[in-house]
Amino acid sequence: MAGPTSAAKKKKGTASTVKKAPKRPKSVREPKKPKSAKSTEANSTAAEDASDEDDESDNGPYCLCRGPDDHRWMICCERCEDWFHGECVHIAKDVGESLIEKFICPNCTTDNLMTLYKKTCTLGSCRKAARLNHSPPSVFCSDEHAQTWWERMLARLPKAKARAALSDELSQEEFMALLSSDLATIDGDGSWTLRAPFSGQKSEMNGDEIGIEERLAQILTEEEKDYLAKKAHARFKLAEETLLCQKMITLVELVQDRRRAAINAGLFAEDICGYDQRLDTICARDAFAAFVKSPEGEAIFQASKVGDPLGEGDEVRGMCERKRCKIHSGWHKMLVQAVKYQIKELADQAAEVGEDERILREAAEERWRRRQAEQNWVEVLDG
């Protein structure tokens, strides 16, 4: 005979006038305690009622399959507030947690009501959301991915010698020249900012200012011209070294992309190191420059992809397969930070060279103005 507690319990499938959100089942259920031979009948009834309520919460029904919460990843519908297994609605966990703004289940989806997705990061291999609501907004999920995107775009530009004749496409050297000009700045973290020429206020240059370079060419001594030529050559070398450092960061990110691809394919666990021996030349400028010019290096930067070092298509060959490797611990972050520090040092050196040039030019200009003033003097002679 059922007691009053059993009679008051809601039967499964019974309709309700006010629909309540289903309880999210507990992730871990405690095992039932064995009944004691000396327990009273009242205690046994209370334990059974509590067990029934727990079973009802754990066993659902949920999702399209109307099954239980079997500890698979689930997502809640914003309209009916029911829970759905990600596999049943064809949504991966990383997409559901990072890229879905508002989930609407298939039962509630209409022409005017559907799942809303966030814009993904512009970097192709990234599955995170872009920072469109930040100030300033960005189509990337982080500054590091913005930097990586620019580096890959630069790597796709042809070199001056390899560019076809009469082509409007910028070469790598021309682009680096833009970065070295007063139109571009390199921040301390290595990110680039390029200002559009002739933007902002209208130029206030007059005829005298237009002829500054011509006047400097006339009044500069041979020693000063040689000094400026050496400074210009030094700035070009610093720009080349900066480009080399950018390629270092690109190689580190490509190796990290290969590691992530192996993890997503189930070939690696999350705690596998993934360090590639081709990263040994990072921060060693001469050795890395030689690697970049080698056939393997040229193939990597042309394809923007790191593969099997033997060229046989093996997806993990060449990577460290140790778990929680102590030798290469934190290699990705450590190498990127080291290269960015080098970029900052190069930027500081380029700023010093530019300042030396500016001081010499201003001194030459001041000297020219003094000569112009001396020529305007008039000596009055008594008749």
Side-chain angles (χ1 to χ4, degrees):
M1 179 175 179
T5 304
S6 301
K9 287 174 55 180
K10 176 182 173 182
K11 296 181 179 180
K12 295 183 180 179
T14 305
S16 176
T17 56
V18 179
K19 185 173 183 179
K20 297 182 179 179
K23 295 180 180 179
R24 186 70 163 90
K26 298 179 181 178
S27 59
V28 179
R29 293 179 58 191
E30 297 181 358
K32 296 181 181 179
K33 297 181 180 180
K35 295 182 180 180
S36 173
K38 297 182 179 180
S39 62
T40 61
E41 182 177 358
N43 291 337
S44 299
T45 303
E48 290 176 359
D49 291 342
S51 177
D52 289 342
E53 291 178 1
D54 186 58
D55 288 345
E56 182 179 356
S57 174
D58 284 348
N59 294 331
Y62 300 100
C63 189
L64 298 173
C65 63
R66 307 316 296 163
D69 175 14
D70 49 6
H71 307 297
R72 289 181 292 168
W73 180 79
M74 302 180 75
I75 186 170
C76 182
C77 174
E78 295 285 343
R79 187 175 186 277
C80 66
E81 298 184 349
D82 197 2
W83 290 85
F84 294 82
H85 299 112
E87 296 177 359
C88 295
V89 292
H90 306 293
I91 295 178
K93 180 180 178 180
D94 57 342
V95 174
E97 293 180 346
S98 302
L99 297 178
I100 290 186
E101 183 75 28
K102 180 180 180 181
F103 172 69
I104 302 297
C105 70
N107 296 332
C108 299
T109 299
T110 64
D111 293 338
N112 299 323
L113 186 65
M114 59 188 66
T115 299
L116 299 180
Y117 288 84
K118 300 177 183 177
K119 177 177 175 57
T120 57
C121 176
T122 301
L123 188 66
S125 59
C126 180
R127 301 295 297 275
K128 296 181 180 179
R131 300 175 297 173
L132 298 179
N133 297 327
H134 286 216
S135 180
S138 173
V139 293
F140 300 94
C141 68
S142 64
D143 294 339
E144 288 76 12
H145 279 194
Q147 180 77 8
T148 301
W149 185 87
W150 275 106
E151 292 161 4
R152 294 182 181 179
M153 290 296 294
L154 178 62
R156 295 190 184 102
L157 294 177
K159 294 184 178 180
K161 296 181 180 179
R163 187 179 60 174
L166 301 178
S167 174
D168 293 333
E169 186 178 14
L170 283 174
S171 66
Q172 292 184 7
E173 291 78 6
E174 291 170 338
F175 188 74
M176 289 305 300
L178 281 176
L179 294 179
S180 302
S181 67
D182 58 354
L183 297 177
T185 57
I186 301 179
D187 298 333
D189 60 355
S191 60
W192 299 337
T193 302
L194 186 63
R195 176 176 59 83
F198 314 116
S199 62
Q201 298 180 352
K202 186 177 180 180
S203 175
E204 298 179 355
M205 292 179 63
N206 53 37
D208 290 339
E209 292 175 337
I210 292 175
I212 288 178
E213 292 298 327
E214 289 78 1
R215 292 197 299 272
L216 286 175
Q218 296 174 2
I219 65 177
L220 286 174
T221 65
E222 292 300 323
E223 183 180 0
E224 289 172 333
K225 291 179 181 179
D226 183 63
Y227 178 84
L228 290 177
K230 290 180 179 178
K231 291 295 181 181
H233 180 72
R235 280 193 295 108
F236 181 77
K237 288 296 183 181
L238 290 171
E240 284 187 332
E241 290 190 27
T242 301
L243 177 59
L244 199 63
C245 288
Q246 301 294 351
K247 287 187 175 182
M248 291 180 185
I249 295 180
T250 299
L251 181 61
V252 174
E253 294 297 339
L254 291 178
V255 171
Q256 177 72 345
D257 290 345
R258 187 186 183 207
R259 174 181 175 272
R260 297 303 311 175
I263 292 174
N264 294 336
L267 303 176
F268 271 1
E270 286 284 350
D271 55 355
I272 293 296
C273 174
Y275 180 86
D276 194 296
Q277 296 299 324
R278 285 166 285 191
L279 297 178
D280 290 346
T281 58
I282 298 297
C283 297
R285 297 178 188 177
D286 294 340
F288 184 79
F291 171 77
V292 170
K293 294 178 182 179
S294 67
E296 182 182 16
E298 290 182 351
I300 288 175
F301 288 105
Q302 184 176 2
S304 295
K305 182 179 180 181
V306 173
D308 182 358
L310 299 182
E312 298 178 356
D314 193 301
E315 297 181 5
V316 298
R317 179 182 292 161
M319 290 190 290
C320 177
E321 300 184 22
R322 298 188 185 94
K323 292 185 178 180
R324 294 180 290 276
C325 176
K326 294 182 179 179
I327 299 177
H328 308 124
S329 178
W331 61 267
H332 177 261
K333 183 178 180 180
M334 179 182 64
L335 291 178
V336 170
Q337 288 181 345
V339 176
K340 286 185 175 180
Y341 180 77
Q342 287 190 8
I343 292 175
K344 182 180 182 301
E345 285 190 328
L346 293 172
D348 292 341
Q349 294 176 24
E352 292 178 1
V353 173
E355 181 66 12
D356 292 340
E357 290 180 292
R358 184 189 65 80
I359 292 174
L360 188 144
R361 291 175 182 273
E362 288 183 354
E365 177 68 14
E366 181 62 27
R367 187 171 65 224
W368 180 86
R369 289 173 180 169
R370 286 200 311 268
R371 289 180 181 178
Q372 290 296 106
E374 291 172 356
Q375 293 175 3
N376 292 333
W377 289 351
V378 177
E379 183 178 356
V380 178
L381 301 177
D382 294 335

Short mmCIF file of all heavy atoms in Angstrom, two decimals, residues 118-168:
data_model
loop_
_atom_site.label_atom_id
_atom_site.label_comp_id
_atom_site.label_asym_id
_atom_site.label_seq_id
_atom_site.Cartn_x
_atom_site.Cartn_y
_atom_site.Cartn_z
N LYS A 118 28.54 33.65 -32.33
CA LYS A 118 29.45 34.79 -32.29
C LYS A 118 30.40 34.72 -33.49
O LYS A 118 30.62 33.65 -34.05
CB LYS A 118 30.29 34.75 -31.00
CG LYS A 118 29.47 34.80 -29.72
CD LYS A 118 30.37 34.67 -28.51
CE LYS A 118 29.57 34.65 -27.22
NZ LYS A 118 30.44 34.46 -26.03
N LYS A 119 30.96 35.87 -33.88
CA LYS A 119 31.93 35.90 -34.97
C LYS A 119 33.23 35.28 -34.48
O LYS A 119 33.72 35.62 -33.40
CB LYS A 119 32.18 37.34 -35.43
CG LYS A 119 33.24 37.45 -36.53
CD LYS A 119 33.42 38.86 -37.00
CE LYS A 119 34.57 38.96 -38.02
NZ LYS A 119 34.37 38.07 -39.17
N THR A 120 33.78 34.38 -35.26
CA THR A 120 35.02 33.73 -34.88
C THR A 120 36.22 34.63 -35.16
O THR A 120 36.14 35.57 -35.95
CB THR A 120 35.20 32.41 -35.64
OG1 THR A 120 35.16 32.69 -37.05
CG2 THR A 120 34.10 31.43 -35.30
N CYS A 121 37.30 34.32 -34.50
CA CYS A 121 38.56 35.05 -34.70
C CYS A 121 38.99 34.93 -36.17
O CYS A 121 38.82 33.88 -36.79
CB CYS A 121 39.63 34.47 -33.78
SG CYS A 121 41.28 35.19 -34.00
N THR A 122 39.53 36.01 -36.73
CA THR A 122 39.91 36.03 -38.14
C THR A 122 41.06 35.07 -38.43
O THR A 122 41.21 34.62 -39.57
CB THR A 122 40.30 37.46 -38.55
OG1 THR A 122 39.16 38.32 -38.31
CG2 THR A 122 40.65 37.55 -40.02
N LEU A 123 41.87 34.74 -37.43
CA LEU A 123 42.93 33.76 -37.65
C LEU A 123 42.30 32.41 -37.94
O LEU A 123 41.52 31.88 -37.15
CB LEU A 123 43.83 33.68 -36.41
CG LEU A 123 45.10 32.84 -36.56
CD1 LEU A 123 46.05 33.49 -37.56
CD2 LEU A 123 45.80 32.67 -35.22
N GLY A 124 42.62 31.84 -39.10
CA GLY A 124 41.91 30.67 -39.60
C GLY A 124 41.86 29.49 -38.66
O GLY A 124 40.85 28.81 -38.57
N SER A 125 42.93 29.21 -37.95
CA SER A 125 42.99 28.01 -37.12
C SER A 125 42.34 28.20 -35.75
O SER A 125 42.27 27.25 -34.97
CB SER A 125 44.45 27.59 -36.92
OG SER A 125 45.19 28.64 -36.32
N CYS A 126 41.87 29.39 -35.44
CA CYS A 126 41.32 29.68 -34.11
C CYS A 126 39.81 29.45 -34.09
O CYS A 126 39.11 29.84 -35.03
CB CYS A 126 41.65 31.12 -33.69
SG CYS A 126 41.02 31.56 -32.06
N ARG A 127 39.31 28.88 -33.00
CA ARG A 127 37.86 28.64 -32.84
C ARG A 127 37.29 29.46 -31.71
O ARG A 127 36.24 29.11 -31.15
CB ARG A 127 37.61 27.15 -32.58
CG ARG A 127 38.11 26.21 -33.66
CD ARG A 127 37.39 26.40 -34.97
NE ARG A 127 35.98 26.10 -34.86
CZ ARG A 127 35.46 24.88 -34.97
NH1 ARG A 127 36.26 23.86 -35.21
NH2 ARG A 127 34.17 24.67 -34.86
N LYS A 128 37.95 30.56 -31.34
CA LYS A 128 37.46 31.43 -30.28
C LYS A 128 36.73 32.63 -30.87
O LYS A 128 36.85 32.92 -32.06
CB LYS A 128 38.60 31.89 -29.38
CG LYS A 128 39.29 30.75 -28.63
CD LYS A 128 40.40 31.29 -27.74
CE LYS A 128 41.10 30.16 -26.99
NZ LYS A 128 42.19 30.67 -26.12
N ALA A 129 35.98 33.35 -30.02
CA ALA A 129 35.18 34.48 -30.49
C ALA A 129 36.03 35.73 -30.63
O ALA A 129 36.97 35.96 -29.87
CB ALA A 129 34.03 34.74 -29.52
N ALA A 130 35.71 36.53 -31.65
CA ALA A 130 36.39 37.81 -31.84
C ALA A 130 35.92 38.81 -30.77
O ALA A 130 34.82 38.70 -30.22
CB ALA A 130 36.08 38.37 -33.23
N ARG A 131 36.78 39.81 -30.47
CA ARG A 131 36.49 40.79 -29.43
C ARG A 131 35.78 42.01 -30.05
O ARG A 131 36.29 43.13 -30.01
CB ARG A 131 37.78 41.21 -28.74
CG ARG A 131 38.52 40.07 -28.06
CD ARG A 131 39.84 40.53 -27.51
NE ARG A 131 40.74 40.98 -28.58
CZ ARG A 131 41.89 41.56 -28.36
NH1 ARG A 131 42.32 41.76 -27.13
NH2 ARG A 131 42.66 41.94 -29.38
N LEU A 132 34.58 41.78 -30.60
CA LEU A 132 33.85 42.86 -31.26
C LEU A 132 33.29 43.87 -30.27
O LEU A 132 33.05 45.03 -30.63
CB LEU A 132 32.72 42.28 -32.11
CG LEU A 132 33.14 41.35 -33.25
CD1 LEU A 132 31.91 40.83 -33.98
CD2 LEU A 132 34.07 42.07 -34.21
N ASN A 133 33.07 43.45 -29.03
CA ASN A 133 32.49 44.35 -28.04
C ASN A 133 33.53 45.06 -27.19
O ASN A 133 33.18 45.79 -26.27
CB ASN A 133 31.53 43.56 -27.12
CG ASN A 133 30.35 42.99 -27.88
OD1 ASN A 133 29.88 43.58 -28.84
ND2 ASN A 133 29.87 41.83 -27.46
N HIS A 134 34.81 44.83 -27.48
CA HIS A 134 35.87 45.51 -26.73
C HIS A 134 36.08 46.92 -27.26
O HIS A 134 35.56 47.30 -28.31
CB HIS A 134 37.17 44.71 -26.82
CG HIS A 134 37.15 43.47 -25.99
ND1 HIS A 134 38.25 43.00 -25.32
CD2 HIS A 134 36.16 42.58 -25.69
CE1 HIS A 134 37.95 41.89 -24.67
NE2 HIS A 134 36.68 41.62 -24.89
N SER A 135 36.82 47.70 -26.54
CA SER A 135 37.16 49.05 -26.97
C SER A 135 38.68 49.17 -27.04
O SER A 135 39.36 49.15 -26.00
CB SER A 135 36.58 50.08 -26.00
OG SER A 135 36.90 51.39 -26.41
N PRO A 136 39.26 49.32 -28.25
CA PRO A 136 38.57 49.33 -29.54
C PRO A 136 38.20 47.91 -29.96
O PRO A 136 38.84 46.94 -29.53
CB PRO A 136 39.64 49.92 -30.48
CG PRO A 136 40.93 49.50 -29.86
CD PRO A 136 40.72 49.54 -28.38
N PRO A 137 37.18 47.75 -30.81
CA PRO A 137 36.77 46.40 -31.24
C PRO A 137 37.84 45.75 -32.10
O PRO A 137 38.65 46.43 -32.75
CB PRO A 137 35.48 46.67 -32.05
CG PRO A 137 35.59 48.09 -32.49
CD PRO A 137 36.33 48.81 -31.40
N SER A 138 37.85 44.43 -32.09
CA SER A 138 38.85 43.68 -32.85
C SER A 138 38.20 42.44 -33.45
O SER A 138 37.31 41.83 -32.84
CB SER A 138 40.02 43.27 -31.95
OG SER A 138 40.91 42.42 -32.63
N VAL A 139 38.63 42.07 -34.65
CA VAL A 139 38.13 40.85 -35.29
C VAL A 139 38.97 39.65 -34.88
O VAL A 139 38.81 38.57 -35.45
CB VAL A 139 38.11 41.00 -36.82
CG1 VAL A 139 37.10 42.03 -37.25
CG2 VAL A 139 39.51 41.33 -37.34
N PHE A 140 39.86 39.85 -33.91
CA PHE A 140 40.69 38.76 -33.39
C PHE A 140 40.33 38.51 -31.93
O PHE A 140 39.83 39.41 -31.24
CB PHE A 140 42.18 39.09 -33.51
CG PHE A 140 42.63 39.32 -34.93
CD1 PHE A 140 42.68 40.60 -35.45
CD2 PHE A 140 43.00 38.26 -35.73
CE1 PHE A 140 43.10 40.82 -36.75
CE2 PHE A 140 43.42 38.46 -37.03
CZ PHE A 140 43.47 39.74 -37.54
N CYS A 141 40.63 37.30 -31.46
CA CYS A 141 40.33 36.97 -30.07
C CYS A 141 41.39 37.49 -29.12
O CYS A 141 41.16 37.61 -27.92
CB CYS A 141 40.18 35.45 -29.91
SG CYS A 141 41.74 34.54 -30.16
N SER A 142 42.58 37.82 -29.63
CA SER A 142 43.67 38.30 -28.78
C SER A 142 44.66 39.08 -29.63
O SER A 142 44.67 38.98 -30.87
CB SER A 142 44.38 37.13 -28.10
OG SER A 142 45.00 36.29 -29.06
N ASP A 143 45.51 39.87 -28.97
CA ASP A 143 46.54 40.61 -29.67
C ASP A 143 47.56 39.67 -30.30
O ASP A 143 48.12 39.96 -31.37
CB ASP A 143 47.26 41.56 -28.70
CG ASP A 143 46.35 42.66 -28.18
OD1 ASP A 143 45.33 42.93 -28.85
OD2 ASP A 143 46.65 43.24 -27.12
N GLU A 144 47.80 38.52 -29.67
CA GLU A 144 48.76 37.57 -30.21
C GLU A 144 48.29 37.02 -31.56
O GLU A 144 49.09 36.88 -32.50
CB GLU A 144 48.97 36.41 -29.23
CG GLU A 144 49.77 36.76 -27.99
CD GLU A 144 48.94 37.55 -26.99
OE1 GLU A 144 47.71 37.62 -27.16
OE2 GLU A 144 49.53 38.10 -26.03
N HIS A 145 46.98 36.74 -31.69
CA HIS A 145 46.47 36.22 -32.95
C HIS A 145 46.43 37.31 -34.02
O HIS A 145 46.60 37.01 -35.22
CB HIS A 145 45.08 35.62 -32.74
CG HIS A 145 45.12 34.25 -32.18
ND1 HIS A 145 44.03 33.39 -32.16
CD2 HIS A 145 46.15 33.55 -31.62
CE1 HIS A 145 44.39 32.25 -31.60
NE2 HIS A 145 45.66 32.32 -31.27
N ALA A 146 46.21 38.56 -33.61
CA ALA A 146 46.30 39.65 -34.58
C ALA A 146 47.72 39.75 -35.13
O ALA A 146 47.94 39.93 -36.34
CB ALA A 146 45.89 40.97 -33.92
N GLN A 147 48.70 39.61 -34.24
CA GLN A 147 50.11 39.66 -34.64
C GLN A 147 50.43 38.50 -35.58
O GLN A 147 51.09 38.68 -36.62
CB GLN A 147 51.00 39.60 -33.40
CG GLN A 147 52.49 39.65 -33.69
CD GLN A 147 52.96 41.04 -34.02
OE1 GLN A 147 52.19 41.98 -33.89
NE2 GLN A 147 54.19 41.17 -34.45
N THR A 148 49.95 37.30 -35.24
CA THR A 148 50.21 36.12 -36.07
C THR A 148 49.60 36.28 -37.46
O THR A 148 50.21 35.90 -38.47
CB THR A 148 49.64 34.86 -35.39
OG1 THR A 148 50.25 34.71 -34.10
CG2 THR A 148 49.91 33.63 -36.22
N TRP A 149 48.40 36.86 -37.53
CA TRP A 149 47.74 37.06 -38.82
C TRP A 149 48.57 37.98 -39.72
O TRP A 149 48.78 37.69 -40.90
CB TRP A 149 46.35 37.64 -38.59
CG TRP A 149 45.53 37.77 -39.84
CD1 TRP A 149 44.73 36.82 -40.40
CD2 TRP A 149 45.45 38.93 -40.70
NE1 TRP A 149 44.15 37.30 -41.55
CE2 TRP A 149 44.58 38.59 -41.76
CE3 TRP A 149 46.02 40.18 -40.67
CZ2 TRP A 149 44.25 39.49 -42.77
CZ3 TRP A 149 45.71 41.08 -41.69
CH2 TRP A 149 44.84 40.74 -42.71
N TRP A 150 49.08 39.08 -39.14
CA TRP A 150 49.91 40.00 -39.91
C TRP A 150 51.20 39.33 -40.36
O TRP A 150 51.68 39.54 -41.49
CB TRP A 150 50.23 41.24 -39.08
CG TRP A 150 49.16 42.28 -39.16
CD1 TRP A 150 48.24 42.60 -38.20
CD2 TRP A 150 48.86 43.14 -40.26
NE1 TRP A 150 47.41 43.59 -38.64
CE2 TRP A 150 47.77 43.94 -39.90
CE3 TRP A 150 49.44 43.30 -41.52
CZ2 TRP A 150 47.23 44.89 -40.75
CZ3 TRP A 150 48.90 44.25 -42.38
CH2 TRP A 150 47.82 45.03 -41.99
N GLU A 151 51.78 38.51 -39.50
CA GLU A 151 53.02 37.84 -39.87
C GLU A 151 52.80 36.88 -41.03
O GLU A 151 53.63 36.79 -41.95
CB GLU A 151 53.57 37.08 -38.66
CG GLU A 151 54.05 38.00 -37.55
CD GLU A 151 54.15 37.28 -36.21
OE1 GLU A 151 53.91 36.06 -36.20
OE2 GLU A 151 54.44 37.94 -35.21
N ARG A 152 51.69 36.17 -41.02
CA ARG A 152 51.41 35.24 -42.11
C ARG A 152 51.10 35.99 -43.41
O ARG A 152 51.46 35.52 -44.50
CB ARG A 152 50.24 34.33 -41.73
CG ARG A 152 50.57 33.40 -40.56
CD ARG A 152 49.42 32.48 -40.23
NE ARG A 152 49.77 31.62 -39.10
CZ ARG A 152 48.94 30.72 -38.57
NH1 ARG A 152 47.72 30.57 -39.06
NH2 ARG A 152 49.34 29.98 -37.55
N MET A 153 50.42 37.12 -43.30
CA MET A 153 50.17 37.93 -44.48
C MET A 153 51.49 38.42 -45.08
O MET A 153 51.66 38.43 -46.29
CB MET A 153 49.27 39.12 -44.11
CG MET A 153 47.84 38.75 -43.79
SD MET A 153 46.95 38.05 -45.21
CE MET A 153 46.90 39.48 -46.29
N LEU A 154 52.42 38.84 -44.23
CA LEU A 154 53.72 39.30 -44.69
C LEU A 154 54.49 38.17 -45.36
O LEU A 154 55.15 38.36 -46.37
CB LEU A 154 54.51 39.87 -43.52
CG LEU A 154 55.93 40.36 -43.83
CD1 LEU A 154 55.89 41.50 -44.83
CD2 LEU A 154 56.64 40.80 -42.56
N ALA A 155 54.39 36.97 -44.79
CA ALA A 155 55.12 35.82 -45.35
C ALA A 155 54.62 35.47 -46.75
O ALA A 155 55.37 34.91 -47.55
CB ALA A 155 54.99 34.62 -44.42
N ARG A 156 53.35 35.81 -47.05
CA ARG A 156 52.80 35.51 -48.37
C ARG A 156 53.24 36.51 -49.44
O ARG A 156 53.09 36.25 -50.63
CB ARG A 156 51.27 35.47 -48.31
CG ARG A 156 50.71 34.35 -47.44
CD ARG A 156 49.21 34.23 -47.63
NE ARG A 156 48.64 33.22 -46.74
CZ ARG A 156 48.00 33.49 -45.62
NH1 ARG A 156 47.84 34.75 -45.25
NH2 ARG A 156 47.52 32.55 -44.85
N LEU A 157 53.76 37.67 -49.01
CA LEU A 157 54.21 38.66 -49.99
C LEU A 157 55.47 38.16 -50.68
O LEU A 157 56.32 37.53 -50.06
CB LEU A 157 54.49 40.00 -49.29
CG LEU A 157 53.28 40.72 -48.70
CD1 LEU A 157 53.74 42.00 -47.99
CD2 LEU A 157 52.25 41.06 -49.77
N PRO A 158 55.62 38.45 -51.96
CA PRO A 158 56.82 37.99 -52.67
C PRO A 158 58.04 38.83 -52.30
O PRO A 158 57.91 39.97 -51.86
CB PRO A 158 56.44 38.18 -54.14
CG PRO A 158 55.48 39.33 -54.12
CD PRO A 158 54.69 39.19 -52.84
N LYS A 159 59.19 38.26 -52.49
CA LYS A 159 60.41 39.02 -52.32
C LYS A 159 60.64 39.87 -53.57
O LYS A 159 60.11 39.58 -54.64
CB LYS A 159 61.59 38.09 -52.08
CG LYS A 159 61.50 37.33 -50.76
CD LYS A 159 62.74 36.50 -50.52
CE LYS A 159 62.65 35.79 -49.17
NZ LYS A 159 63.86 34.97 -48.90
N ALA A 160 61.43 40.92 -53.43
CA ALA A 160 61.61 41.88 -54.53
C ALA A 160 62.17 41.19 -55.77
O ALA A 160 61.75 41.47 -56.90
CB ALA A 160 62.53 43.00 -54.08
N LYS A 161 63.10 40.25 -55.59
CA LYS A 161 63.70 39.59 -56.74
C LYS A 161 62.74 38.62 -57.41
O LYS A 161 62.82 38.39 -58.61
CB LYS A 161 64.97 38.85 -56.29
CG LYS A 161 66.06 39.78 -55.79
CD LYS A 161 67.30 38.99 -55.39
CE LYS A 161 68.40 39.91 -54.89
NZ LYS A 161 69.61 39.15 -54.47
N ALA A 162 61.83 38.03 -56.60
CA ALA A 162 60.92 37.03 -57.16
C ALA A 162 59.64 37.63 -57.70
O ALA A 162 58.87 36.95 -58.37
CB ALA A 162 60.57 35.99 -56.09
N ARG A 163 59.38 38.93 -57.45
CA ARG A 163 58.13 39.55 -57.89
C ARG A 163 58.15 39.75 -59.40
O ARG A 163 59.16 40.12 -59.98
CB ARG A 163 57.94 40.88 -57.18
CG ARG A 163 56.59 41.53 -57.45
CD ARG A 163 56.45 42.84 -56.71
NE ARG A 163 57.48 43.78 -57.12
CZ ARG A 163 57.53 45.03 -56.70
NH1 ARG A 163 56.61 45.49 -55.87
NH2 ARG A 163 58.49 45.85 -57.10
N ALA A 164 56.99 39.54 -60.01
CA ALA A 164 56.88 39.75 -61.44
C ALA A 164 57.01 41.22 -61.79
O ALA A 164 56.66 42.10 -61.00
CB ALA A 164 55.54 39.20 -61.94
N ALA A 165 57.53 41.51 -62.97
CA ALA A 165 57.71 42.89 -63.39
C ALA A 165 56.36 43.58 -63.56
O ALA A 165 55.34 42.96 -63.89
CB ALA A 165 58.49 42.92 -64.70
N LEU A 166 56.34 44.88 -63.33
CA LEU A 166 55.14 45.71 -63.48
C LEU A 166 53.99 45.20 -62.61
O LEU A 166 52.83 45.25 -63.01
CB LEU A 166 54.70 45.77 -64.95
CG LEU A 166 55.74 46.33 -65.94
CD1 LEU A 166 55.20 46.29 -67.35
CD2 LEU A 166 56.13 47.74 -65.54
N SER A 167 54.31 44.70 -61.44
CA SER A 167 53.28 44.22 -60.52
C SER A 167 53.00 45.28 -59.47
O SER A 167 53.91 45.97 -58.98
CB SER A 167 53.74 42.93 -59.83
OG SER A 167 52.81 42.54 -58.84
N ASP A 168 51.70 45.46 -59.15
CA ASP A 168 51.31 46.43 -58.13
C ASP A 168 51.40 45.86 -56.72
O ASP A 168 51.17 46.58 -55.75
CB ASP A 168 49.87 46.91 -58.38
CG ASP A 168 49.76 47.72 -59.67
OD1 ASP A 168 50.77 48.31 -60.06
OD2 ASP A 168 48.67 47.74 -60.27
#
